[in-house]
Amino acid sequence: LAKTTQPISMDSYEGQEVNITCSHNNIATNDYITWYQQFPSQGPRFIIQGYKTKVTNEVASLFIPADRKSSTLSLPRVSLSDTAVYYCLVGERSGSGGYNKLIFGAGTRLAVHP
Amino acid sequence: NAGVTQTPKFQVLKTGQSMTLQCAQDMNHNSMYWYRQDPGMGLRLIYYSASEGTTDKGEVPDGYNVSRLKKQNFLLGLESAAPSQTSVYFCASRGTSLSTDTQYFGPGTRLTVL
């Protein structure tokens, strides 16, 4: 299983763009990169998933360089409600015949200030 | 469509007592997971199940047992509770669509062992 490394914490201000980078040096060919968000007293929820290059949805963008050894979650114009813990996971997609085990790291605590 | 539900929401046990945490999903997902989250920490995988009738150990399985007799249910048992098992327990199921492979989390069970 590919291990991930993220910053422990980050601070930002309302209206700014926030970029959280995750390192996954031993990512395997079949692995996808997935980001989750967790608010206090709630279970994590899916944000975005990608394999290579760039993926964008209504919430965030995910940038993955060609070597795929890292990825960057980009949150545009954050608000106070984006204060949460963000987790980066690497693993094969379900049903591909590979691992079903998914490991969460410690995550990145993002604090957005007024 | 309730998603992932967990019962109970809160539980207090005395050391040595046993109990079962229940998890149910109505999304017809094959894979299900049990995690624990200690205060200020990330999620740690206890057990997972790739399909009905199969289970595998995660990172921290000691002191726990699981059962996946039905596809929609994944049970987590504590045979003899210890204070070190005080934590929030999250259950998740995993599903794959055309574009994403996502874990859906329940609201959590807050367990205190005295």
Side-chain angles (χ1 to χ4, degrees):
Chain A
L1 291 173
K3 181 181 177 180
T4 60
T5 303
Q6 306 173 230
I8 294 175
S9 63
M10 294 182 68
D11 289 275
S12 184
Y13 293 90
E14 285 190 291
Q16 290 189 334
E17 178 185 76
V18 171
N19 295 309
I20 306 174
T21 297
C22 178
S23 297
H24 28 79
N25 290 321
N26 59 339
I27 188 170
T29 303
N30 292 336
D31 285 345
Y32 280 72
I33 300 154
T34 310
W35 286 81
Y36 287 83
Q37 175 191 55
Q38 185 181 26
F39 297 114
S41 301
Q42 295 184 24
R45 67 169 188 162
F46 173 88
I47 301 176
I48 197 166
Q49 185 178 76
Y51 183 80
K52 61 181 179 180
T53 63
K54 177 184 176 182
V55 179
T56 297
N57 61 22
E58 63 277 6
V59 176
S61 294
L62 178 59
F63 299 91
I64 306 168
D67 66 6
R68 304 201 326 122
K69 294 184 182 299
S70 67
S71 59
T72 298
L73 174 72
S74 180
L75 304 172
R77 298 180 297 281
V78 294
S79 64
L80 296 176
S81 62
D82 292 314
T83 294
V85 178
Y86 293 82
Y87 296 96
C88 165
L89 274 74
V90 173
E92 293 191 41
R93 288 177 61 137
S94 179
S96 66
Y99 287 115
N100 275 279
K101 180 185 293 189
L102 291 177
I103 303 295
F104 282 75
T108 297
R109 293 184 176 277
L110 172 65
V112 179
H113 306 282
Chain B
N1 193 339
V4 179
T5 58
Q6 294 183 234
T7 54
K9 288 185 170 55
F10 301 93
Q11 183 70 50
V12 178
L13 293 177
K14 294 181 179 178
T15 297
Q17 287 185 316
S18 64
M19 79 162 295
T20 299
L21 279 64
Q22 302 197 20
C23 176
Q25 54 99 0
D26 60 3
M27 296 172 282
N28 200 35
H29 290 165
N30 286 321
S31 299
M32 296 186 73
Y33 303 78
W34 275 107
Y35 295 90
R36 62 174 287 176
Q37 185 171 38
D38 299 331
M41 306 291 287
L43 283 81
R44 290 187 292 172
L45 181 64
I46 305 171
Y47 271 94
Y48 67 102
S49 169
S51 61
E52 177 183 342
T54 68
T55 62
D56 283 288
K57 294 179 180 179
E59 302 172 88
V60 289
D62 293 343
Y64 304 95
N65 57 77
V66 289
S67 172
R68 184 91 184 274
L69 298 179
K70 295 182 179 180
K71 187 176 185 178
Q72 63 268 34
N73 299 118
F74 195 26
L75 307 181
L76 178 69
L78 285 74
E79 292 183 345
S80 180
S84 61
Q85 294 178 304
T86 293
S87 190
V88 179
Y89 291 84
F90 289 103
C91 175
S93 71
R94 181 178 179 185
T96 302
S97 67
L98 287 177
S99 58
T100 60
D101 178 339
T102 308
Q103 279 187 308
Y104 298 86
F105 284 81
T109 293
R110 283 146 186 80
L111 175 66
T112 301
V113 182
L114 303 174

PDB file of all heavy atoms in Angstrom, chain A residues 30 32-36 46-50 89 91-96 99-100 102, chain B residues 29 31 33 93-104:
ATOM      1  N   ASN A  30      -1.874   1.032 -10.663  1.00  0.00           N
ATOM      2  CA  ASN A  30      -3.330   0.971 -10.619  1.00  0.00           C
ATOM      3  C   ASN A  30      -3.954   1.851  -9.537  1.00  0.00           C
ATOM      4  O   ASN A  30      -5.180   1.863  -9.392  1.00  0.00           O
ATOM      5  CB  ASN A  30      -3.796  -0.469 -10.396  1.00  0.00           C
ATOM      6  CG  ASN A  30      -3.504  -1.360 -11.581  1.00  0.00           C
ATOM      7  OD1 ASN A  30      -3.374  -0.877 -12.710  1.00  0.00           O
ATOM      8  ND2 ASN A  30      -3.364  -2.648 -11.341  1.00  0.00           N
ATOM      9  N   TYR A  32      -5.414   5.007  -7.523  1.00  0.00           N
ATOM     10  CA  TYR A  32      -6.052   6.299  -7.681  1.00  0.00           C
ATOM     11  C   TYR A  32      -5.771   7.135  -6.435  1.00  0.00           C
ATOM     12  O   TYR A  32      -5.407   6.612  -5.396  1.00  0.00           O
ATOM     13  CB  TYR A  32      -7.564   6.141  -7.853  1.00  0.00           C
ATOM     14  CG  TYR A  32      -7.977   5.750  -9.246  1.00  0.00           C
ATOM     15  CD1 TYR A  32      -7.732   4.470  -9.733  1.00  0.00           C
ATOM     16  CD2 TYR A  32      -8.598   6.668 -10.084  1.00  0.00           C
ATOM     17  CE1 TYR A  32      -8.098   4.116 -11.015  1.00  0.00           C
ATOM     18  CE2 TYR A  32      -8.976   6.319 -11.368  1.00  0.00           C
ATOM     19  CZ  TYR A  32      -8.720   5.044 -11.819  1.00  0.00           C
ATOM     20  OH  TYR A  32      -9.082   4.689 -13.089  1.00  0.00           O
ATOM     21  N   ILE A  33      -5.950   8.433  -6.552  1.00  0.00           N
ATOM     22  CA  ILE A  33      -5.744   9.360  -5.448  1.00  0.00           C
ATOM     23  C   ILE A  33      -7.091   9.964  -5.087  1.00  0.00           C
ATOM     24  O   ILE A  33      -7.805  10.480  -5.964  1.00  0.00           O
ATOM     25  CB  ILE A  33      -4.767  10.473  -5.845  1.00  0.00           C
ATOM     26  CG1 ILE A  33      -3.412   9.853  -6.233  1.00  0.00           C
ATOM     27  CG2 ILE A  33      -4.598  11.478  -4.697  1.00  0.00           C
ATOM     28  CD1 ILE A  33      -2.630  10.701  -7.198  1.00  0.00           C
ATOM     29  N   THR A  34      -7.445   9.866  -3.811  1.00  0.00           N
ATOM     30  CA  THR A  34      -8.747  10.331  -3.353  1.00  0.00           C
ATOM     31  C   THR A  34      -8.572  11.232  -2.140  1.00  0.00           C
ATOM     32  O   THR A  34      -7.743  10.971  -1.283  1.00  0.00           O
ATOM     33  CB  THR A  34      -9.642   9.133  -2.959  1.00  0.00           C
ATOM     34  OG1 THR A  34      -9.635   8.167  -4.016  1.00  0.00           O
ATOM     35  CG2 THR A  34     -11.070   9.589  -2.708  1.00  0.00           C
ATOM     36  N   TRP A  35      -9.356  12.285  -2.104  1.00  0.00           N
ATOM     37  CA  TRP A  35      -9.337  13.215  -0.974  1.00  0.00           C
ATOM     38  C   TRP A  35     -10.691  13.215  -0.275  1.00  0.00           C
ATOM     39  O   TRP A  35     -11.746  13.204  -0.924  1.00  0.00           O
ATOM     40  CB  TRP A  35      -8.995  14.632  -1.441  1.00  0.00           C
ATOM     41  CG  TRP A  35      -7.556  14.816  -1.792  1.00  0.00           C
ATOM     42  CD1 TRP A  35      -6.936  14.465  -2.959  1.00  0.00           C
ATOM     43  CD2 TRP A  35      -6.549  15.412  -0.976  1.00  0.00           C
ATOM     44  NE1 TRP A  35      -5.608  14.804  -2.916  1.00  0.00           N
ATOM     45  CE2 TRP A  35      -5.338  15.387  -1.711  1.00  0.00           C
ATOM     46  CE3 TRP A  35      -6.535  15.974   0.301  1.00  0.00           C
ATOM     47  CZ2 TRP A  35      -4.138  15.903  -1.201  1.00  0.00           C
ATOM     48  CZ3 TRP A  35      -5.347  16.485   0.803  1.00  0.00           C
ATOM     49  CH2 TRP A  35      -4.167  16.444   0.052  1.00  0.00           C
ATOM     50  N   TYR A  36     -10.617  13.224   1.071  1.00  0.00           N
ATOM     51  CA  TYR A  36     -11.807  13.294   1.903  1.00  0.00           C
ATOM     52  C   TYR A  36     -11.714  14.496   2.833  1.00  0.00           C
ATOM     53  O   TYR A  36     -10.627  14.939   3.191  1.00  0.00           O
ATOM     54  CB  TYR A  36     -11.966  12.023   2.749  1.00  0.00           C
ATOM     55  CG  TYR A  36     -12.402  10.807   1.977  1.00  0.00           C
ATOM     56  CD1 TYR A  36     -11.472  10.039   1.288  1.00  0.00           C
ATOM     57  CD2 TYR A  36     -13.737  10.432   1.920  1.00  0.00           C
ATOM     58  CE1 TYR A  36     -11.864   8.925   0.570  1.00  0.00           C
ATOM     59  CE2 TYR A  36     -14.144   9.310   1.207  1.00  0.00           C
ATOM     60  CZ  TYR A  36     -13.199   8.563   0.532  1.00  0.00           C
ATOM     61  OH  TYR A  36     -13.595   7.469  -0.188  1.00  0.00           O
ATOM     62  N   PHE A  46     -16.393  12.278   0.836  1.00  0.00           N
ATOM     63  CA  PHE A  46     -15.618  12.325  -0.393  1.00  0.00           C
ATOM     64  C   PHE A  46     -15.589  13.735  -0.977  1.00  0.00           C
ATOM     65  O   PHE A  46     -16.604  14.432  -1.011  1.00  0.00           O
ATOM     66  CB  PHE A  46     -16.261  11.359  -1.391  1.00  0.00           C
ATOM     67  CG  PHE A  46     -15.695  11.399  -2.775  1.00  0.00           C
ATOM     68  CD1 PHE A  46     -14.624  10.608  -3.107  1.00  0.00           C
ATOM     69  CD2 PHE A  46     -16.261  12.214  -3.749  1.00  0.00           C
ATOM     70  CE1 PHE A  46     -14.113  10.610  -4.398  1.00  0.00           C
ATOM     71  CE2 PHE A  46     -15.755  12.232  -5.039  1.00  0.00           C
ATOM     72  CZ  PHE A  46     -14.683  11.428  -5.359  1.00  0.00           C
ATOM     73  N   ILE A  47     -14.395  14.167  -1.435  1.00  0.00           N
ATOM     74  CA  ILE A  47     -14.277  15.448  -2.122  1.00  0.00           C
ATOM     75  C   ILE A  47     -14.009  15.242  -3.598  1.00  0.00           C
ATOM     76  O   ILE A  47     -14.747  15.729  -4.457  1.00  0.00           O
ATOM     77  CB  ILE A  47     -13.129  16.309  -1.549  1.00  0.00           C
ATOM     78  CG1 ILE A  47     -13.316  16.604  -0.069  1.00  0.00           C
ATOM     79  CG2 ILE A  47     -13.026  17.621  -2.330  1.00  0.00           C
ATOM     80  CD1 ILE A  47     -12.136  17.368   0.521  1.00  0.00           C
ATOM     81  N   ILE A  48     -12.924  14.519  -3.908  1.00  0.00           N
ATOM     82  CA  ILE A  48     -12.501  14.423  -5.295  1.00  0.00           C
ATOM     83  C   ILE A  48     -11.577  13.219  -5.455  1.00  0.00           C
ATOM     84  O   ILE A  48     -10.937  12.780  -4.487  1.00  0.00           O
ATOM     85  CB  ILE A  48     -11.801  15.726  -5.729  1.00  0.00           C
ATOM     86  CG1 ILE A  48     -11.724  15.843  -7.249  1.00  0.00           C
ATOM     87  CG2 ILE A  48     -10.423  15.862  -5.089  1.00  0.00           C
ATOM     88  CD1 ILE A  48     -11.361  17.251  -7.726  1.00  0.00           C
ATOM     89  N   GLN A  49     -11.517  12.713  -6.686  1.00  0.00           N
ATOM     90  CA  GLN A  49     -10.668  11.555  -6.984  1.00  0.00           C
ATOM     91  C   GLN A  49     -10.075  11.709  -8.370  1.00  0.00           C
ATOM     92  O   GLN A  49     -10.742  12.218  -9.275  1.00  0.00           O
ATOM     93  CB  GLN A  49     -11.478  10.266  -6.909  1.00  0.00           C
ATOM     94  CG  GLN A  49     -10.691   8.976  -7.094  1.00  0.00           C
ATOM     95  CD  GLN A  49     -11.604   7.767  -6.958  1.00  0.00           C
ATOM     96  OE1 GLN A  49     -12.379   7.435  -7.849  1.00  0.00           O
ATOM     97  NE2 GLN A  49     -11.526   7.123  -5.805  1.00  0.00           N
ATOM     98  N   GLY A  50      -8.824  11.277  -8.515  1.00  0.00           N
ATOM     99  CA  GLY A  50      -8.207  11.365  -9.830  1.00  0.00           C
ATOM    100  C   GLY A  50      -7.112  10.345 -10.012  1.00  0.00           C
ATOM    101  O   GLY A  50      -6.637   9.730  -9.049  1.00  0.00           O
ATOM    102  N   LEU A  89      -5.834   9.788   0.291  1.00  0.00           N
ATOM    103  CA  LEU A  89      -5.717   8.324   0.260  1.00  0.00           C
ATOM    104  C   LEU A  89      -5.258   7.872  -1.113  1.00  0.00           C
ATOM    105  O   LEU A  89      -5.619   8.467  -2.132  1.00  0.00           O
ATOM    106  CB  LEU A  89      -7.073   7.662   0.532  1.00  0.00           C
ATOM    107  CG  LEU A  89      -7.475   7.439   1.978  1.00  0.00           C
ATOM    108  CD1 LEU A  89      -7.863   8.753   2.614  1.00  0.00           C
ATOM    109  CD2 LEU A  89      -8.624   6.458   2.055  1.00  0.00           C
ATOM    110  N   GLY A  91      -4.986   4.246  -3.426  1.00  0.00           N
ATOM    111  CA  GLY A  91      -5.317   2.835  -3.486  1.00  0.00           C
ATOM    112  C   GLY A  91      -6.027   2.481  -4.772  1.00  0.00           C
ATOM    113  O   GLY A  91      -6.444   3.364  -5.536  1.00  0.00           O
ATOM    114  N   GLU A  92      -6.153   1.184  -4.999  1.00  0.00           N
ATOM    115  CA  GLU A  92      -6.822   0.725  -6.206  1.00  0.00           C
ATOM    116  C   GLU A  92      -8.326   0.909  -6.086  1.00  0.00           C
ATOM    117  O   GLU A  92      -8.888   0.897  -4.992  1.00  0.00           O
ATOM    118  CB  GLU A  92      -6.516  -0.753  -6.444  1.00  0.00           C
ATOM    119  CG  GLU A  92      -5.067  -1.028  -6.786  1.00  0.00           C
ATOM    120  CD  GLU A  92      -4.860  -2.442  -7.283  1.00  0.00           C
ATOM    121  OE1 GLU A  92      -5.708  -2.918  -8.064  1.00  0.00           O
ATOM    122  OE2 GLU A  92      -3.868  -3.065  -6.897  1.00  0.00           O
ATOM    123  N   ARG A  93      -8.962   1.050  -7.211  1.00  0.00           N
ATOM    124  CA  ARG A  93     -10.410   1.160  -7.209  1.00  0.00           C
ATOM    125  C   ARG A  93     -11.028  -0.200  -6.908  1.00  0.00           C
ATOM    126  O   ARG A  93     -10.520  -1.238  -7.299  1.00  0.00           O
ATOM    127  CB  ARG A  93     -10.902   1.674  -8.564  1.00  0.00           C
ATOM    128  CG  ARG A  93     -10.581   3.136  -8.786  1.00  0.00           C
ATOM    129  CD  ARG A  93     -11.012   3.586 -10.149  1.00  0.00           C
ATOM    130  NE  ARG A  93     -12.440   3.453 -10.341  1.00  0.00           N
ATOM    131  CZ  ARG A  93     -13.191   4.368 -10.930  1.00  0.00           C
ATOM    132  NH1 ARG A  93     -12.642   5.479 -11.334  1.00  0.00           N
ATOM    133  NH2 ARG A  93     -14.478   4.168 -11.107  1.00  0.00           N
ATOM    134  N   SER A  94     -12.158  -0.152  -6.203  1.00  0.00           N
ATOM    135  CA  SER A  94     -12.867  -1.363  -5.813  1.00  0.00           C
ATOM    136  C   SER A  94     -13.276  -2.142  -7.066  1.00  0.00           C
ATOM    137  O   SER A  94     -13.677  -1.558  -8.071  1.00  0.00           O
ATOM    138  CB  SER A  94     -14.112  -0.987  -5.016  1.00  0.00           C
ATOM    139  OG  SER A  94     -14.835  -2.130  -4.636  1.00  0.00           O
ATOM    140  N   GLY A  95     -13.157  -3.462  -7.005  1.00  0.00           N
ATOM    141  CA  GLY A  95     -13.554  -4.278  -8.138  1.00  0.00           C
ATOM    142  C   GLY A  95     -12.466  -4.480  -9.160  1.00  0.00           C
ATOM    143  O   GLY A  95     -12.659  -5.204 -10.131  1.00  0.00           O
ATOM    144  N   SER A  96     -11.311  -3.879  -8.943  1.00  0.00           N
ATOM    145  CA  SER A  96     -10.224  -4.020  -9.912  1.00  0.00           C
ATOM    146  C   SER A  96      -9.425  -5.293  -9.661  1.00  0.00           C
ATOM    147  O   SER A  96      -8.523  -5.620 -10.433  1.00  0.00           O
ATOM    148  CB  SER A  96      -9.280  -2.812  -9.828  1.00  0.00           C
ATOM    149  OG  SER A  96      -8.617  -2.808  -8.579  1.00  0.00           O
ATOM    150  N   TYR A  99      -6.166  -4.506  -3.879  1.00  0.00           N
ATOM    151  CA  TYR A  99      -6.437  -4.374  -2.458  1.00  0.00           C
ATOM    152  C   TYR A  99      -7.758  -3.664  -2.201  1.00  0.00           C
ATOM    153  O   TYR A  99      -8.101  -2.717  -2.876  1.00  0.00           O
ATOM    154  CB  TYR A  99      -5.329  -3.567  -1.792  1.00  0.00           C
ATOM    155  CG  TYR A  99      -4.032  -4.322  -1.657  1.00  0.00           C
ATOM    156  CD1 TYR A  99      -2.899  -3.907  -2.336  1.00  0.00           C
ATOM    157  CD2 TYR A  99      -3.936  -5.439  -0.833  1.00  0.00           C
ATOM    158  CE1 TYR A  99      -1.708  -4.587  -2.212  1.00  0.00           C
ATOM    159  CE2 TYR A  99      -2.749  -6.122  -0.708  1.00  0.00           C
ATOM    160  CZ  TYR A  99      -1.638  -5.693  -1.386  1.00  0.00           C
ATOM    161  OH  TYR A  99      -0.462  -6.358  -1.271  1.00  0.00           O
ATOM    162  N   ASN A 100      -8.467  -4.121  -1.179  1.00  0.00           N
ATOM    163  CA  ASN A 100      -9.640  -3.401  -0.716  1.00  0.00           C
ATOM    164  C   ASN A 100      -9.353  -2.591   0.526  1.00  0.00           C
ATOM    165  O   ASN A 100     -10.188  -1.840   0.964  1.00  0.00           O
ATOM    166  CB  ASN A 100     -10.790  -4.374  -0.420  1.00  0.00           C
ATOM    167  CG  ASN A 100     -11.581  -4.693  -1.664  1.00  0.00           C
ATOM    168  OD1 ASN A 100     -12.439  -3.922  -2.070  1.00  0.00           O
ATOM    169  ND2 ASN A 100     -11.269  -5.791  -2.294  1.00  0.00           N
ATOM    170  N   LEU A 102      -8.112   0.309   2.728  1.00  0.00           N
ATOM    171  CA  LEU A 102      -7.846   1.726   2.543  1.00  0.00           C
ATOM    172  C   LEU A 102      -7.367   2.308   3.857  1.00  0.00           C
ATOM    173  O   LEU A 102      -8.018   2.155   4.877  1.00  0.00           O
ATOM    174  CB  LEU A 102      -9.108   2.457   2.072  1.00  0.00           C
ATOM    175  CG  LEU A 102      -9.581   2.126   0.656  1.00  0.00           C
ATOM    176  CD1 LEU A 102     -10.875   2.855   0.354  1.00  0.00           C
ATOM    177  CD2 LEU A 102      -8.519   2.514  -0.362  1.00  0.00           C
TER     178      LEU A 102
ATOM    179  N   HIS B  29     -23.474  -2.146  -1.539  1.00  0.00           N
ATOM    180  CA  HIS B  29     -22.023  -2.146  -1.719  1.00  0.00           C
ATOM    181  C   HIS B  29     -21.418  -3.462  -1.236  1.00  0.00           C
ATOM    182  O   HIS B  29     -21.868  -4.054  -0.257  1.00  0.00           O
ATOM    183  CB  HIS B  29     -21.392  -1.003  -0.928  1.00  0.00           C
ATOM    184  CG  HIS B  29     -21.700   0.332  -1.510  1.00  0.00           C
ATOM    185  ND1 HIS B  29     -21.500   1.516  -0.807  1.00  0.00           N
ATOM    186  CD2 HIS B  29     -22.159   0.704  -2.730  1.00  0.00           C
ATOM    187  CE1 HIS B  29     -21.832   2.527  -1.564  1.00  0.00           C
ATOM    188  NE2 HIS B  29     -22.240   2.062  -2.738  1.00  0.00           N
ATOM    189  N   SER B  31     -18.004  -3.792  -0.345  1.00  0.00           N
ATOM    190  CA  SER B  31     -16.975  -3.564   0.675  1.00  0.00           C
ATOM    191  C   SER B  31     -17.501  -2.723   1.831  1.00  0.00           C
ATOM    192  O   SER B  31     -18.196  -1.734   1.617  1.00  0.00           O
ATOM    193  CB  SER B  31     -15.767  -2.860   0.060  1.00  0.00           C
ATOM    194  OG  SER B  31     -15.185  -3.639  -0.959  1.00  0.00           O
ATOM    195  N   TYR B  33     -16.209  -1.266   6.004  1.00  0.00           N
ATOM    196  CA  TYR B  33     -15.031  -0.973   6.822  1.00  0.00           C
ATOM    197  C   TYR B  33     -15.428  -0.527   8.231  1.00  0.00           C
ATOM    198  O   TYR B  33     -16.467   0.114   8.411  1.00  0.00           O
ATOM    199  CB  TYR B  33     -14.206   0.152   6.179  1.00  0.00           C
ATOM    200  CG  TYR B  33     -13.754  -0.126   4.776  1.00  0.00           C
ATOM    201  CD1 TYR B  33     -14.629  -0.007   3.697  1.00  0.00           C
ATOM    202  CD2 TYR B  33     -12.444  -0.514   4.518  1.00  0.00           C
ATOM    203  CE1 TYR B  33     -14.209  -0.272   2.402  1.00  0.00           C
ATOM    204  CE2 TYR B  33     -12.017  -0.778   3.221  1.00  0.00           C
ATOM    205  CZ  TYR B  33     -12.901  -0.661   2.178  1.00  0.00           C
ATOM    206  OH  TYR B  33     -12.479  -0.917   0.902  1.00  0.00           O
ATOM    207  N   SER B  93     -19.041   2.113   3.884  1.00  0.00           N
ATOM    208  CA  SER B  93     -19.188   1.177   2.780  1.00  0.00           C
ATOM    209  C   SER B  93     -18.583   1.833   1.555  1.00  0.00           C
ATOM    210  O   SER B  93     -18.434   3.059   1.491  1.00  0.00           O
ATOM    211  CB  SER B  93     -20.639   0.793   2.541  1.00  0.00           C
ATOM    212  OG  SER B  93     -21.371   1.871   1.989  1.00  0.00           O
ATOM    213  N   ARG B  94     -18.246   1.030   0.582  1.00  0.00           N
ATOM    214  CA  ARG B  94     -17.499   1.534  -0.567  1.00  0.00           C
ATOM    215  C   ARG B  94     -18.188   1.117  -1.842  1.00  0.00           C
ATOM    216  O   ARG B  94     -18.500  -0.059  -2.040  1.00  0.00           O
ATOM    217  CB  ARG B  94     -16.089   0.975  -0.528  1.00  0.00           C
ATOM    218  CG  ARG B  94     -15.170   1.409  -1.645  1.00  0.00           C
ATOM    219  CD  ARG B  94     -13.823   0.793  -1.423  1.00  0.00           C
ATOM    220  NE  ARG B  94     -12.866   1.132  -2.471  1.00  0.00           N
ATOM    221  CZ  ARG B  94     -11.645   0.632  -2.540  1.00  0.00           C
ATOM    222  NH1 ARG B  94     -11.227  -0.209  -1.626  1.00  0.00           N
ATOM    223  NH2 ARG B  94     -10.838   0.983  -3.512  1.00  0.00           N
ATOM    224  N   GLY B  95     -18.404   2.108  -2.703  1.00  0.00           N
ATOM    225  CA  GLY B  95     -19.055   1.824  -3.954  1.00  0.00           C
ATOM    226  C   GLY B  95     -18.338   2.457  -5.126  1.00  0.00           C
ATOM    227  O   GLY B  95     -17.634   3.459  -4.968  1.00  0.00           O
ATOM    228  N   THR B  96     -18.528   1.885  -6.287  1.00  0.00           N
ATOM    229  CA  THR B  96     -17.869   2.374  -7.503  1.00  0.00           C
ATOM    230  C   THR B  96     -18.894   2.748  -8.547  1.00  0.00           C
ATOM    231  O   THR B  96     -19.789   1.965  -8.864  1.00  0.00           O
ATOM    232  CB  THR B  96     -16.939   1.296  -8.076  1.00  0.00           C
ATOM    233  OG1 THR B  96     -15.985   0.936  -7.075  1.00  0.00           O
ATOM    234  CG2 THR B  96     -16.205   1.806  -9.294  1.00  0.00           C
ATOM    235  N   SER B  97     -18.754   3.983  -9.055  1.00  0.00           N
ATOM    236  CA  SER B  97     -19.580   4.403 -10.177  1.00  0.00           C
ATOM    237  C   SER B  97     -18.695   4.431 -11.412  1.00  0.00           C
ATOM    238  O   SER B  97     -17.556   3.976 -11.371  1.00  0.00           O
ATOM    239  CB  SER B  97     -20.169   5.784  -9.906  1.00  0.00           C
ATOM    240  OG  SER B  97     -19.124   6.743  -9.878  1.00  0.00           O
ATOM    241  N   LEU B  98     -19.182   5.011 -12.491  1.00  0.00           N
ATOM    242  CA  LEU B  98     -18.370   5.083 -13.703  1.00  0.00           C
ATOM    243  C   LEU B  98     -17.114   5.913 -13.485  1.00  0.00           C
ATOM    244  O   LEU B  98     -16.068   5.637 -14.058  1.00  0.00           O
ATOM    245  CB  LEU B  98     -19.200   5.676 -14.853  1.00  0.00           C
ATOM    246  CG  LEU B  98     -20.268   4.762 -15.452  1.00  0.00           C
ATOM    247  CD1 LEU B  98     -21.053   5.507 -16.517  1.00  0.00           C
ATOM    248  CD2 LEU B  98     -19.614   3.513 -16.054  1.00  0.00           C
ATOM    249  N   SER B  99     -17.229   6.948 -12.674  1.00  0.00           N
ATOM    250  CA  SER B  99     -16.119   7.892 -12.561  1.00  0.00           C
ATOM    251  C   SER B  99     -15.410   7.873 -11.220  1.00  0.00           C
ATOM    252  O   SER B  99     -14.278   8.335 -11.123  1.00  0.00           O
ATOM    253  CB  SER B  99     -16.619   9.312 -12.828  1.00  0.00           C
ATOM    254  OG  SER B  99     -17.646   9.636 -11.906  1.00  0.00           O
ATOM    255  N   THR B 100     -16.038   7.365 -10.175  1.00  0.00           N
ATOM    256  CA  THR B 100     -15.394   7.445  -8.878  1.00  0.00           C
ATOM    257  C   THR B 100     -15.578   6.159  -8.082  1.00  0.00           C
ATOM    258  O   THR B 100     -16.476   5.374  -8.323  1.00  0.00           O
ATOM    259  CB  THR B 100     -15.948   8.602  -8.024  1.00  0.00           C
ATOM    260  OG1 THR B 100     -17.346   8.392  -7.818  1.00  0.00           O
ATOM    261  CG2 THR B 100     -15.708   9.941  -8.675  1.00  0.00           C
ATOM    262  N   ASP B 101     -14.684   6.000  -7.120  1.00  0.00           N
ATOM    263  CA  ASP B 101     -14.715   4.894  -6.162  1.00  0.00           C
ATOM    264  C   ASP B 101     -14.729   5.563  -4.794  1.00  0.00           C
ATOM    265  O   ASP B 101     -13.730   6.175  -4.415  1.00  0.00           O
ATOM    266  CB  ASP B 101     -13.466   4.035  -6.362  1.00  0.00           C
ATOM    267  CG  ASP B 101     -13.389   2.889  -5.373  1.00  0.00           C
ATOM    268  OD1 ASP B 101     -14.038   2.964  -4.315  1.00  0.00           O
ATOM    269  OD2 ASP B 101     -12.672   1.920  -5.659  1.00  0.00           O
ATOM    270  N   THR B 102     -15.831   5.485  -4.087  1.00  0.00           N
ATOM    271  CA  THR B 102     -16.048   6.339  -2.923  1.00  0.00           C
ATOM    272  C   THR B 102     -16.423   5.534  -1.695  1.00  0.00           C
ATOM    273  O   THR B 102     -17.201   4.581  -1.776  1.00  0.00           O
ATOM    274  CB  THR B 102     -17.192   7.331  -3.210  1.00  0.00           C
ATOM    275  OG1 THR B 102     -16.929   8.006  -4.425  1.00  0.00           O
ATOM    276  CG2 THR B 102     -17.330   8.332  -2.088  1.00  0.00           C
ATOM    277  N   GLN B 103     -15.887   5.949  -0.555  1.00  0.00           N
ATOM    278  CA  GLN B 103     -16.347   5.423   0.719  1.00  0.00           C
ATOM    279  C   GLN B 103     -17.400   6.361   1.287  1.00  0.00           C
ATOM    280  O   GLN B 103     -17.240   7.582   1.258  1.00  0.00           O
ATOM    281  CB  GLN B 103     -15.187   5.318   1.713  1.00  0.00           C
ATOM    282  CG  GLN B 103     -14.321   4.096   1.535  1.00  0.00           C
ATOM    283  CD  GLN B 103     -13.301   3.985   2.656  1.00  0.00           C
ATOM    284  OE1 GLN B 103     -12.575   4.917   2.944  1.00  0.00           O
ATOM    285  NE2 GLN B 103     -13.243   2.828   3.283  1.00  0.00           N
ATOM    286  N   TYR B 104     -18.484   5.759   1.805  1.00  0.00           N
ATOM    287  CA  TYR B 104     -19.546   6.516   2.438  1.00  0.00           C
ATOM    288  C   TYR B 104     -19.532   6.157   3.916  1.00  0.00           C
ATOM    289  O   TYR B 104     -19.607   4.983   4.276  1.00  0.00           O
ATOM    290  CB  TYR B 104     -20.900   6.156   1.828  1.00  0.00           C
ATOM    291  CG  TYR B 104     -20.992   6.476   0.360  1.00  0.00           C
ATOM    292  CD1 TYR B 104     -20.542   5.573  -0.603  1.00  0.00           C
ATOM    293  CD2 TYR B 104     -21.519   7.692  -0.079  1.00  0.00           C
ATOM    294  CE1 TYR B 104     -20.604   5.864  -1.944  1.00  0.00           C
ATOM    295  CE2 TYR B 104     -21.600   7.985  -1.432  1.00  0.00           C
ATOM    296  CZ  TYR B 104     -21.138   7.064  -2.353  1.00  0.00           C
ATOM    297  OH  TYR B 104     -21.203   7.359  -3.693  1.00  0.00           O
TER     298      TYR B 104
END
